[in-house]
Amino acid sequence: MSELGEIWVYLAREPLAALTATLLAWLGALRLQRACGRHALANPVLFAVALLAAGLLLTGIDYRSYFEGAQFVHFLLGPATVALAVPLYRQWAVVRRAAGVAAVSVIAGGVFAAGVGVAIALALRAAPEVVASLAPRSVTTPVAMGIAERIGGLPSLTAALVICSGITGAALGPLVLDWARVRDMRARGLAIGTAAHGIGTARALSVSAAAGPSAGWRWG
């Protein structure tokens, strides 16, 4: 209860313009997604980021000032990630039957994605902090930022990379899986969840009740 009290005190004291702008951008992004017929490439996170970036550029507000007012949304990333385990729990009997194969797939996919990013950075002779920022790219944003900070990376760069990979995976993942003729919704959900983190899991949940829990297995 004390933590909730502290949050309320913060919200009552600080200006809520940035938080309001974030919520309005998200509502606008959802409208754009519906206008595009919920196409796979019409990702609301991408739209919301673009709307917020345009707003900050037009008003001349720097990102640091914006984040001071909108960091409550950042705080909610943790509970939102944990909440992805709810659909997994509801379908646990189904997911458990393929737990062994799923575990191998998730580990292999995560290691491959992280390894490729680090290998490309090393090949391009990137700075050590950039390499360290790429290493935790295969986990969801709040966890990746914590890992990057501990191993000498740049948490802000890691967050941007994770979000970009999530948006790309959520947008292009269904198209790639269609091209590869992967029809099983559980396999599709697991692949998108592994490649596109929480954003991909949210996309899978919006598409199929079978794909969502499999994607959530990656984070639950």
Side-chain angles (χ1 to χ4, degrees):
M1 292 298 294
S2 61
E3 293 182 358
L4 291 177
E6 291 175 2
I7 293 172
W8 172 251
V9 170
Y10 166 80
L11 290 176
R13 184 180 70 249
E14 298 292 335
L16 300 181
L19 181 60
T20 302
T22 303
L23 295 176
L24 290 176
W26 178 249
L27 292 175
L30 292 178
R31 286 182 175 273
L32 287 173
Q33 184 191 37
R34 288 194 293 269
C36 295
R38 296 186 181 277
H39 191 275
L41 295 177
N43 189 281
V45 176
L46 177 60
F47 289 153
V49 170
L51 289 172
L52 281 172
L56 293 179
L57 290 173
L58 289 173
T59 57
I61 299 174
D62 64 278
Y63 177 77
R64 188 181 300 275
S65 299
Y66 158 77
F67 186 74
E68 287 179 359
Q71 59 181 311
F72 185 64
V73 177
H74 176 74
F75 164 79
L76 291 176
L77 277 174
T81 302
V82 175
L84 291 175
V86 174
L88 173 66
Y89 173 77
R90 291 175 177 171
Q91 299 288 333
W92 181 244
V94 176
V95 176
R96 184 173 56 184
R97 289 197 291 267
V101 176
V104 172
S105 301
V106 167
I107 293 172
V111 171
F112 178 79
V116 168
V118 171
I120 292 175
L122 291 174
L124 296 175
R125 298 181 180 180
E129 58 269 23
V130 175
V131 177
S133 300
L134 282 166
R137 190 187 63 80
S138 293
V139 295
T140 197
T141 306
V143 178
M145 292 176 69
I147 295 174
E149 188 173 10
R150 285 181 174 272
I151 64 176
L154 305 172
S156 57
L157 176 58
T158 298
L161 291 169
V162 172
I163 292 173
C164 286
S165 63
I167 292 174
T168 303
L172 300 181
L175 302 177
V176 173
L177 292 171
D178 286 342
W179 176 78
R181 297 183 181 179
V182 178
R183 305 302 182 193
D184 189 290
M185 297 307 297
R186 294 170 299 177
R188 291 173 69 94
L190 187 63
I192 294 176
T194 301
H197 325 302
I199 296 175
T201 300
R203 170 66 181 171
L205 284 167
S206 69
V207 170
S208 168
S214 296
W217 198 96
R218 177 67 171 86
W219 308 112

